[in-house]
Amino acid sequence: MNKGNVVDMKYYSLNKHSPVVDFKEATIRGLAPDKGLYFPSIIPRIDDSLLLNIENTPNEEIAFKVIMPFVGKTITPEKVFEIVSETINFPIPLYQVNKNIFSLELFHGPTMAFKDVGARFMSRCLGEFVKDAAKKVVVLVATSGDTGGAVANGFYGEDNIEVVILYPSGKVSPVQEMQLCALGKNIHALEIDGSFDDCQSMVKKAFSDTDINKNLFLTSANSINVARWLPQQFYYFFAYKQWKEKEHPPVIAVPSGNFGNLCAGMLAYCSGLPVHHFIAACNANDAVAQYLIKGIYYPKPVKHTFSNAMDVGDPSNFVRIMELFENDHKQLLKITSAFSISDEDTMVTIKKVFHDQQYTLDPHGAIGYMALEKYLESNPGLKGIFLETAHPVKFPGIVEKACGIKIKLPSQLETLMQQPKLALAMKAEFSVLKDYLMGI
Ligand SMILES: *Cc1c(COP(=O)(O)O)cnc(C)c1O
């Protein structure tokens, strides 16, 4: 891993068989031609003065300083400042739940889950990059839930970009569905009569279809895109900004599925952000947790759990984590521990924290909380933060059952649920999708 000053950031493919590219190319492509994930050629060093003055530095300025080395010369500094300011124009508070445990609330954005930041940043960067594209630009995604909403919201109203989202009929929650279907304008929701895998396979076929690619400039907005991954570093700086005991940096627990969020935190740490230890908080999908514990990695079939945004059997960002720690299990273990938490324990934790602390967790945050608590129990004297990645109202069934109360929809969601549903029902057949895309 190269550290140091960045003059002109390049990205290489982790499969090592594609040319290096700049931030613009990496964002437009998503994956490298050899199907590898892009990785920054240099890990920038954070200015000590930023860390020393962080409490008095506005969030936009922190975000700007963190992201600028990664953007390089592909967008002007003025425009980058404007983009990050829009990306994070909502609160990201650190809430003290009990003596030793704090919650970094990442659910105050428009779709009430942490993916808003990455999606908003990426959509604005892509908007800059395709301003003078010769073909119509279409972002094509399949979603099983949260990603689609964050992408739809992030790209809503973006000039020159159409967004087509496929979702499996009846398999996303009512709120998630309306987050895709209430917007209209440049957001096209396709309700597929099939499973998430059907949606994904239709999208894959579209990407390799010659006719479609002749007509349109197709791109994806999935979570491995550098423009979605890198801005997640902001959370960790905002956490540190609000952390009172700077001389004792926090333990940070991250509810993890595809491991993009945790990997962004580790990148911030490698750039110089003080963190005492990371906790990879997993549900029953524990491939990475098992690797950390046993040193052997093997992907597993997906198990469905209450924390469905973390149901990933073979997390994409694992390779980025390994690259950051030079493929050295021991180096990674020094700074990271992992816990796998069951659905049963998720319920117990939501109930316990609601009754003891009057704080309502969502199932993902509950896994972060419990993993952190376990670590602190065996390492007394430390304090930590878990990332609360979604608002509990997004998972009303589970949270109401655990707490024994009815949770009220915030007014923002009530309004959303009363909108007309603008979705086009479609058979799970590629030819139908192709006709649709050719006519867009
Ligand atoms: C996506 C998501 C996660 C997992 O994040 P990764 O970066 O994929 O590890 C956790 N919680 C919620 C609510 C999510 O939407």
Side-chain angles (χ1 to χ4, degrees), residues 119-232:
R120 283 153 76 88
F121 183 77
M122 178 185 168
S123 61
R124 284 160 178 78
C125 291
L126 199 61
E128 267 307 283
F129 294 148
V130 302
K131 262 188 187 155
D132 37 38
K135 293 186 266 186
K136 187 174 263 181
V137 178
V138 175
V139 172
L140 183 63
V141 277
T143 185
S144 58
D146 275 345
T147 300
V151 169
N153 210 287
F155 280 88
Y156 180 59
E158 194 66 49
D159 289 340
N160 307 322
I161 301 182
E162 302 296 320
V163 179
V164 177
I165 302 176
L166 285 72
Y167 72 95
S169 180
K171 301 204 177 62
V172 302
S173 78
V175 168
Q176 286 173 331
E177 181 169 38
M178 285 312 285
Q179 286 179 334
L180 305 175
C181 298
L183 292 167
K185 264 197 189 171
N186 62 328
I187 309 297
H188 312 272
L190 303 181
E191 180 176 3
I192 305 297
D193 184 16
S195 65
F196 172 62
D197 287 339
D198 293 329
C199 297
Q200 229 173 359
S201 103
M202 290 163 78
V203 164
K204 274 196 186 143
K205 283 186 187 145
F207 275 100
S208 50
D209 186 273
T210 335
D211 301 330
I212 296 176
N213 286 283
K214 223 182 265 168
N215 259 19
L216 303 172
F217 182 94
L218 269 196
T219 181
S220 102
N222 67 22
S223 64
I224 48 92
N225 195 298
V226 290
R228 279 190 60 186
W229 172 49
L230 295 168
Q232 300 179 76

Side-chain angles (χ1 to χ4, degrees), residues 71-83:
V71 176
K73 294 174 181 158
T74 60
I75 308 177
T76 62
E78 294 73 31
K79 189 68 199 178
V80 174
F81 192 81
E82 192 186 310
I83 290 175

Side-chain angles (χ1 to χ4, degrees), residues 112-115 146-147 223 228 232 254-263 307-312 315 317 362 364-365 387-391 394-395:
M112 304 185 145
F114 85 94
K115 292 187 175 68
D146 275 345
T147 300
S223 64
R228 279 190 60 186
Q232 300 179 76
V254 186
S256 293
N258 231 340
F259 283 77
N261 196 357
L262 177 61
C263 185
S307 43
N308 62 6
M310 291 158 54
D311 291 347
V312 182
N317 284 291
D362 97 291
H364 306 77
L387 305 192
E388 178 42 294
T389 48
H391 196 297
K394 291 194 88 173
F395 305 91

Side-chain angles (χ1 to χ4, degrees), residues 250-297:
V251 175
I252 303 185
V254 186
S256 293
N258 231 340
F259 283 77
N261 196 357
L262 177 61
C263 185
M266 290 170 160
L267 179 61
Y269 166 77
C270 291
S271 300
L273 182 74
V275 175
H276 182 81
H277 201 73
F278 285 106
I279 312 288
C282 308
N283 60 26
N285 295 282
D286 62 351
V288 172
Q290 286 302 326
Y291 169 76
L292 282 160
I293 296 161
K294 294 183 185 152
I296 312 163
Y297 181 78

Side-chain angles (χ1 to χ4, degrees), residues 25-37:
E25 276 290 308
T27 299
I28 290 176
R29 285 182 181 279
L31 268 184
D34 64 8
K35 311 272 184 249
L37 271 67

